[in-house]
Amino acid sequence: MSPGRGGGNVPLIERVGTEVYTVPTDAPEGDGTLAWDATTLVLVRVGSGDTEGLGYTYGAPAIAAAVDQLLGAVVTGLSAWDVPAANEAMSRAVRNAGRPGLVAGALSAVDIALWDLKARLLGLPLTHLLGASAEDVPVYGSGGFTPYDDERQDRQLRGWTQGQGIPRVKIKIGESWGRVEGRDRERIARARHSIGDAAELYVDANGAYTRKQALRLDRYLAGHGVTWFEEPVSSDDLVGLGRISAASMTDVAAGEYGYALPYFGHMIAAGAVDCLQADATRCGGITVWLRAAALAEAAGLQISGHCAPHAHAHAAAAVPNLRHLEWFHDHVRIEELFFGGTLDPAGGSLRPGDSGAHGLGLEFRPRAAERYRVR
């Protein structure tokens, strides 16, 4: 019997399926380096007997083809208990197809679905299966897109801080690859006015600035109490990130484009960040996200979960060095529409597992989602 294959009464992974949904945004959106008007969710279903696990990622519809053509047959027949073995089998199988990017998203979605399946087979919330390090998972409201006018930005920020009691929020800056820095500064000042002095203010440039530009802006950020500067320069510029981090009083964060564990090791070794970000829907699923958190802990760093908050919440509760999860506007809209059992961020934190619902605690709503289905 080969490693990871089931035997006896071990439940086997019997089927893998995909669906694709594209949801228009509720207003034009963009950041420092990209604009968009829709978000695509790729849903993965894995089954063993009558039990089904759900996983998902955000990205291009082609991710579903990668699951169907490259990964489904690889995990079918493996033990549903041995999720790390399935993850390793998938990772080896996609060597020549290219692990980063779309394939990594596909692998991640399958891995998340397999963890959900295992917990459901055991009749446990996933946080109980993994073991909790904390009951509460802090979140920060994330949006503040560059095309927003002043009124829309103000309404969104007040909705989080005053409406839901979330004491930390983030806006996008670096508009037009950093070419309208004056408007960035105005929007930062307006954001601080909207949320008051008590709430934490974060900014995300999505790699739009040059090194020196980011350092010049850092002084302005400090004056407005900004404590989180995400991707001031490209996350591929580890030297630049490290220099900005060393010179800044603001925490520098990056890592959302990590598609495999070595990426995070290189980022940490370069001293590039004050807080590591990792995205379970990109990096290799919950299996690799937990390993990235361990790398960060060994280096004395915290980890932050990037986007897709309901895919992260249970794993986030399991690590002692969690800073927070991103309560990202686009993904929250879709997850609350498509799934029953979503979590409440009131007061600024989530409590995964509290309901007792098995797995991720999510139940897909096909009627709500059907109008957005593209595949």
Side-chain angles (χ1 to χ4, degrees):
M1 185 173 67
S2 59
R5 294 284 169 181
N9 295 322
V10 173
L12 303 181
I13 302 161
E14 297 173 352
R15 58 193 180 275
V16 180
T18 58
E19 299 161 22
V20 181
Y21 301 87
T22 297
V23 182
T25 58
D26 56 0
E29 295 180 357
D31 54 37
T33 58
L34 188 67
W36 61 92
D37 60 9
T39 301
T40 295
L41 179 145
V42 178
L43 182 74
V44 172
R45 300 176 184 265
V46 297
S48 178
D50 295 332
T51 304
E52 184 173 80
L54 297 177
Y56 61 94
T57 188
Y58 294 95
I63 291 171
V67 174
D68 297 338
Q69 298 170 22
L70 300 174
L71 302 176
V74 172
V75 300
T76 299
L78 297 184
S79 165
W81 297 148
D82 300 330
V83 182
N87 187 289
E88 182 65 16
M90 289 190 289
S91 188
R92 293 182 181 186
V94 299
R95 186 196 69 181
N96 287 351
R99 165 65 184 264
L102 298 176
V103 174
L107 191 158
S108 300
V110 176
D111 181 270
I112 293 166
L114 291 175
W115 279 109
D116 187 47
L117 174 65
K118 180 176 180 178
R120 288 174 187 265
L121 286 168
L122 292 169
L124 295 171
L126 182 55
T127 188
H128 294 176
L129 172 60
L130 297 174
S133 180
E135 293 182 351
D136 295 316
V137 174
V139 298
Y140 66 90
S142 173
F145 301 108
T146 55
Y148 279 6
D149 60 21
D150 295 342
E151 189 278 332
R152 192 173 193 95
Q153 176 179 292
D154 178 75
R155 177 159 35 95
Q156 186 180 68
L157 296 178
R158 290 181 187 272
W160 286 320
T161 56
Q162 297 178 14
Q164 294 181 298
I166 299 174
R168 53 195 83 83
V169 298
K170 185 176 80 178
I171 66 169
K172 300 288 191 180
I173 60 171
E175 184 176 353
S176 301
W177 287 90
R179 289 191 291 268
V180 285
E181 188 181 323
R183 184 165 187 263
D184 291 338
R185 292 170 181 257
E186 291 173 1
R187 291 180 57 248
I188 291 164
R190 289 182 181 276
R192 174 52 73 191
H193 176 76
S194 296
I195 67 175
D197 294 333
E200 295 181 57
L201 179 58
Y202 302 165
V203 297
D204 182 359
N206 287 97
Y209 295 131
T210 66
R211 296 178 184 180
K212 290 295 180 67
Q213 187 180 20
L215 285 171
R216 289 194 299 270
L217 185 66
D218 182 71
R219 300 182 187 128
Y220 186 81
L221 299 180
H224 286 79
V226 175
T227 55
W228 173 277
F229 197 176
E230 187 172 331
E231 287 192 320
V233 295
S234 170
S235 56
D236 292 326
D237 181 9
L238 298 183
V239 172
L241 285 172
R243 289 178 179 174
I244 295 166
S245 174
S248 174
M249 292 297 292
T250 305
D251 284 350
V252 171
E256 67 188 69
Y257 297 111
Y259 295 113
L261 191 65
Y263 175 97
F264 304 108
H266 298 324
M267 182 165 275
I268 292 169
V273 294
D274 300 298
C275 183
L276 185 70
Q277 287 180 293
D279 188 330
T281 72
R282 292 176 178 170
C283 72
I286 289 170
T287 299
V288 177
W289 194 89
L290 292 171
R291 294 171 184 171
L295 282 180
E297 184 183 11
L301 298 177
Q302 291 180 308
I303 190 167
S304 178
H306 173 261
C307 289
H310 292 92
H312 285 93
H314 289 256
V319 299
N321 58 323
L322 177 76
R323 181 173 294 195
H324 42 44
L325 297 184
E326 184 170 13
W327 194 250
F328 183 57
H329 174 68
D330 281 2
H331 296 177
V332 169
R333 278 186 66 228
I334 294 172
E335 290 166 21
E336 290 184 342
L337 175 64
F338 283 13
F339 300 111
T342 53
L343 300 166
D344 184 358
S349 64
L350 311 175
R351 294 179 67 90
D354 261 16
S355 71
H358 301 164
L360 294 171
L362 302 176
E363 297 298 332
F364 190 65
R365 294 170 168 165
R367 286 190 177 182
E370 187 58 34
R371 63 181 292 198
Y372 303 106
R373 185 165 181 173
V374 297
R375 183 184 179 281

